Amino acid sequence: MKSASEELLIKTALSLGAHMAALVRVADVRFDPAFRAACEANRCGNYGKSWTCPPDVGDIHALVAKASSFDSALVFQSVTTMKSSFDYRAVMDLGQKHNELTARLALELAPLAPLALGAGKCSFCKRCAKLDEEKCRFPDKAVRSMEAHGIDVYALSKQAGLKYNNGEKTMTLFGCLLLPRVDGAVNSVPSRSSRL
């Protein structure tokens, strides 16, 4: 990558399939360890079933500290239209596509050493090695969830200027790549969102 400017980072996310994207300062991101409670309630059914989900993803305070150490967050979203509010297949398909987008974006921006955070459990492998009591097969490609890191996704969407809800019969998922300071231009420009 020739430049680490805000526009290039946003265009990269959009070119790989993000609906919208924006760059924000990590110092402004709201972290709250209480968001881990949603994971612990096992609403998604993945608690303890994936290396990238709690409790195996790590101590919430250590994860918040690690995430907070980055400089910028490239926030992006995936949106799909559903036949009804109960269109389970559309929700599952979007989750898979969104985390694939997160992994592709992390690979594209690998020279910047990002921390890739997606929505829900990692979907890189069809079956997590955790279920077979084995180590993660692809730790460098695994995608962890923003909530497991204590990120307030709703507040982050507002901070990035991205719609949290894109209308009736739609599903919106968020991801972010946390980036170290890459050049003086990244944080000198106010957060803006962009769309193709």
Side-chain angles (χ1 to χ4, degrees):
M1 187 184 316
K2 293 180 182 178
S3 171
S5 72
E6 178 180 4
E7 290 302 319
L8 183 56
L9 291 169
I10 291 170
K11 285 180 182 178
T12 300
L14 296 174
S15 72
L16 291 176
H19 178 72
M20 292 185 77
L23 194 69
V24 300
R25 294 177 346 115
V26 171
D28 298 330
V29 173
R30 181 174 180 257
F31 290 92
D32 186 345
F35 284 100
R36 177 64 75 87
C39 295
E40 292 168 353
N42 200 21
R43 292 180 184 144
C44 69
N46 292 305
Y47 186 82
K49 294 182 180 178
S50 170
W51 287 119
T52 62
C53 289
D56 302 290
V57 70
D59 173 73
I60 183 63
H61 301 289
L63 293 175
V64 168
K66 180 179 181 179
S68 297
S69 73
F70 285 85
D71 190 69
S72 302
L74 177 60
V75 183
F76 55 94
Q77 65 179 183
S78 298
V79 179
T80 194
T81 303
M82 303 184 303
K83 293 177 184 174
S84 76
S85 300
F86 303 102
D87 190 349
Y88 181 75
R89 182 179 175 99
V91 171
M92 296 308 292
D93 287 347
L94 180 62
Q96 178 74 26
K97 289 176 185 174
H98 181 75
N99 281 342
E100 287 171 2
L101 166 63
T102 305
R104 283 194 321 270
L105 192 52
L107 184 61
E108 183 74 21
L109 299 177
L112 301 178
L115 174 60
L117 301 177
K121 77 174 188 77
C122 179
S123 55
F124 189 79
C125 298
K126 290 185 189 238
R127 177 179 170 87
C128 184
K130 164 110 171 101
L131 298 173
D132 300 319
E133 299 180 14
E134 297 174 5
K135 292 181 180 179
C136 179
R137 295 178 189 103
F138 303 98
D140 295 339
K141 296 178 181 174
V143 176
R144 291 145 186 85
S145 79
M146 291 191 294
E147 295 86 354
H149 284 71
I151 294 176
D152 181 338
V153 178
Y154 178 73
L156 181 63
S157 71
K158 289 176 68 175
Q159 177 188 356
L162 304 178
K163 288 183 180 179
Y164 186 78
N165 183 333
N166 281 279
E168 190 176 334
K169 294 186 182 178
T170 65
M171 177 72 173
T172 305
L173 296 178
F174 286 86
C176 69
L177 263 62
L178 302 181
L179 303 162
R181 185 166 193 84
V182 290
D183 66 32
V186 172
N187 283 324
S188 65
V189 180
S191 299
R192 293 179 302 186
S193 61
S194 190
R195 185 175 179 183
L196 282 176

